Amino acid sequence: MKAKVLRITTILVLCLLIFTGCSNNTATNTEDEKDFTIVTSFYPMYIFTVNVVKDIQNVKVENMTEPQTGCLHDYQLVPADLKTLEQADAFVINGAGMESFMEKVMEQRKDLNIIEASKGIELIKDENGEENAHVWVGISGAIKEVSNIADGLAALDPSNAEAYKKNAEEYIKLLEAQSEKMHKELAAFKNKDIVTFHEAFPYFAKEFGLNIVSVVEREPGTEPSAGELAELIDTIKKTNCKVLFAEPQYSQKAAESIAKQTGAKVYLLDPVVTGEKDASADSYIKAMDENLKVLVEAFQQNQ
């Protein structure tokens, strides 16, 4: 009888050990499940992508450049950037020529999955026929880019496709509401002539009916010559434009100098190209809401 009890006890202990071992293996497999890593090229792409991947497990988003980098027209890749891209399952870029370094990226990572957020968007061209890449600054462009990012991630990571698209739809509704709010408040103003300091605002201006009288610096940091500055001041005086928009990312000295000579007033308009390192998912909408407040203040004083 004792021998029989001993045999049963031994079998139960063995079963318990086997079951525990299986449970531990399952837990280990779950913990070791590989993250789907998304790298974004710069700040606005990071904000859009963070909204698309919201609350999805095992999906990680990392921004390649520092969030204060600004536009990437002349950005030079550094070794740390290429190291970041080594771990990427997908690389989200604005495209339209914004990331001038893409040829080098493709040389280093021929198999890298690229999601071009501006794909299929009709680009605005300047008087020289050069395409403008600042699509995200207009909210309509931002909406299309968010949709493109979601579609691209869904194709690369089918197991989370539904979640990507659901998150994108929710974020797009917020963007649409912000756009509607801005249209409603800006519609009351007839005179919407402005001068900007960078070619960042054509999409924004087109969307909200702003008239860009002139652009001071075609590229950030490239100050106009004395002749160009004199022509600009003459244009501002002739059009009687009193609203001059500088950007928070750059020095306002040149803007203040022009303002003194023309009687215009300097305001800050944010193209949402830079931000905080740990920026919240609603950063783009907050920036656009602040832009609305600035525009309303400027136009109220200059009607």
Side-chain angles (χ1 to χ4, degrees):
M1 182 65 180
K2 287 183 179 180
K4 186 176 180 180
V5 172
L6 182 60
R7 281 199 302 272
I8 293 172
T9 303
T10 302
I11 291 170
L12 289 173
V13 170
L14 288 172
C15 289
L16 182 60
L17 289 172
I18 292 170
F19 178 77
T20 303
C22 291
S23 299
N24 288 338
N25 287 338
T26 302
T28 302
N29 290 339
T30 302
E31 291 170 3
D32 292 342
E33 187 177 340
K34 185 180 181 297
D35 286 339
F36 184 79
T37 302
I38 306 163
V39 174
T40 56
S41 58
F42 71 135
Y43 179 76
M45 297 302 103
Y46 174 78
I47 295 299
F48 294 164
T49 304
V50 164
N51 280 279
V52 172
V53 307
K54 181 184 66 175
D55 298 331
I56 302 177
Q57 293 184 347
N58 299 112
V59 176
K60 182 174 70 172
V61 182
E62 185 174 354
N63 200 40
M64 185 185 74
T65 56
E66 289 297 318
Q68 295 295 333
T69 300
C71 288
L72 303 178
H73 302 292
D74 301 312
Y75 183 80
Q76 299 295 316
L77 291 174
V78 298
D81 297 333
L82 295 172
K83 187 174 181 181
T84 298
L85 288 172
E86 285 178 5
Q87 309 302 320
D89 295 299
F91 186 31
V92 177
I93 65 172
N94 180 76
M98 175 59 67
E99 293 86 355
S100 57
F101 49 75
M102 285 307 296
E103 186 176 342
K104 186 173 182 180
V105 169
M106 296 310 297
E107 287 175 1
Q108 299 290 325
R109 283 287 312 272
K110 292 182 174 62
D111 61 339
L112 182 60
N113 295 307
I114 309 294
I115 297 174
E116 187 174 354
S118 64
K119 184 178 179 180
I121 297 176
E122 185 178 353
L123 302 177
I124 293 174
K125 296 181 181 180
D126 64 18
E127 62 268 21
N128 298 315
E130 185 175 341
E131 294 177 334
N132 191 301
H134 301 81
V135 174
W136 72 90
V137 186
I139 297 182
S140 295
I143 288 171
K144 180 60 178 173
E145 291 204 314
V146 169
S147 180
N148 283 340
I149 292 169
D151 288 345
L153 292 176
L156 294 173
D157 184 22
S159 63
N160 288 313
E162 188 176 336
Y164 290 133
K165 292 183 178 182
K166 179 176 178 293
N167 285 342
E169 287 171 2
E170 291 177 356
Y171 185 47
I172 285 171
K173 285 180 181 177
L174 296 176
L175 292 171
E176 289 173 338
Q178 181 64 30
S179 178
E180 184 179 348
K181 175 182 177 181
M182 294 177 74
H183 274 288
K184 184 177 180 180
E185 293 197 32
L186 294 175
F189 303 107
K190 293 181 179 179
N191 182 4
K192 299 178 188 176
D193 290 347
I194 65 172
V195 172
T196 66
F197 261 72
H198 180 198
E199 285 280 26
F201 293 100
Y203 296 94
F204 184 89
K206 182 180 179 181
E207 182 157 355
F208 297 111
L210 312 183
N211 177 36
I212 300 178
V213 171
S214 188
V215 178
V216 180
E217 298 174 7
R218 297 292 171 179
E219 292 294 336
T222 306
E223 294 191 9
S225 65
E228 289 172 333
L229 191 58
E231 185 179 346
L232 171 65
I233 290 172
D234 186 53
T235 299
I236 293 174
K237 288 180 177 178
K238 283 181 178 178
T239 58
N240 198 32
C241 180
K242 299 298 184 184
V243 182
L244 201 162
F245 285 113
E247 297 169 38
Q249 292 84 4
Y250 306 108
S251 170
Q252 282 92 58
K253 287 183 179 179
E256 291 166 357
S257 175
I258 293 171
K260 286 180 182 179
Q261 297 180 66
T262 61
K265 185 174 179 180
V266 180
Y267 300 88
L268 291 181
L269 204 60
D270 189 356
V272 204
V273 69
T274 61
E276 299 297 326
K277 192 166 185 68
D278 297 318
S280 59
D282 63 353
S283 295
Y284 178 89
I285 291 175
K286 283 183 175 179
M288 283 296 161
D289 207 41
E290 186 60 33
N291 282 341
L292 174 60
K293 293 174 185 176
V294 171
L295 287 167
V296 169
E297 178 189 350
F299 291 151
Q300 281 177 339
Q301 296 179 19
N302 292 280
Q303 292 300 300

